[in-house]
């Protein structure tokens, strides 16, 4: 297990997912990947205890980020979630007001924003356990 933590990246667009994974690896995180919500939930059910944070794309075909988040909450898979989206943060915060979201990243994001947001989410996970 890397010191920085294990992060699950859920993103349906391959180039965006690859880019995000490479940035996280550069920042010292270990990374798992899922290309849709179904895959993400399968990984979480198996490994949620090890996963420090999840980067969740807000709009995906099939299960949306919102549906994945709702399912995570229903099943009690206690993983801090950072939502990624092309939408601005204010509209996301309104939309997800009822959910427990550890952070928001507006795409395209810079490595500094990614670093700060993911580390805050991981720290939150560490406090909870």
């Amino acid at each position: 297990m890397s010191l920085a933590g294990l992060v699950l990246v859920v993103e349906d667009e391959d180039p965006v997912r690859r880019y995000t994974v490479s940035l996280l690896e550069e920042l010292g995180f270990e990374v798992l990947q899922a290309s849709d919500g179904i895959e993400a939930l399968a990984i979480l059910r198996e490994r949620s205890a090890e996963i420090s944070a999840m980067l969740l794309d807000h709009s995906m075909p099939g299960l949306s980020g919102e549906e994945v988040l709702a399912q995570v909450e229903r099943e009690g898979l206690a993983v801090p979630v950072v939502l990624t989206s092309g939408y601005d943060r204010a509209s996301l915060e309104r939309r997800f007001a009822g959910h427990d979201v550890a952070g928001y990243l507006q795409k395209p994001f810079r490595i500094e924003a990614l670093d700060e947001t993911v580390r805050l989410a991981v720290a939150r996970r560490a406090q909870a356990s």
Side-chain angles (χ1 to χ4, degrees), residues 4 9 15 19 23-24 51-52 62 64-67 76-77 81 91 98-99 112 118-119 124 126:
V9 174
Y19 172 69
L23 289 182
L24 285 165
I51 296 172
S52 309
S64 69
E66 206 159 353
E67 290 169 312
L77 303 166
V81 175
S91 65
H99 294 287
E112 296 80 6
V118 174
R119 282 184 202 284
R124 197 166 132 167

Side-chain angles (χ1 to χ4, degrees), residues 23-101:
L23 289 182
L24 285 165
E25 286 176 341
E26 204 177 308
L27 291 167
F29 293 97
E30 227 180 306
V31 187
L32 296 170
Q33 306 177 43
S35 55
D36 62 37
I38 306 277
E39 196 183 347
L41 288 167
I43 293 171
L44 282 171
R45 287 180 186 124
E46 207 173 287
R47 305 188 62 179
S48 70
E50 303 160 62
I51 296 172
S52 309
M54 168 165 66
L55 281 185
L56 179 61
D57 184 20
H58 161 261
S59 42
M60 297 182 289
L63 284 182
S64 69
E66 206 159 353
E67 290 169 312
V68 172
L69 192 53
Q71 192 59 38
V72 162
E73 289 167 356
R74 267 200 298 278
E75 295 186 26
L77 303 166
V79 171
V81 175
V82 172
L83 280 175
T84 62
S85 173
Y87 294 108
D88 69 286
R89 183 181 175 135
S91 65
L92 281 179
E93 284 180 345
R94 278 196 301 277
R95 184 157 176 193
F96 286 88
H99 294 287
D100 185 17
V101 174

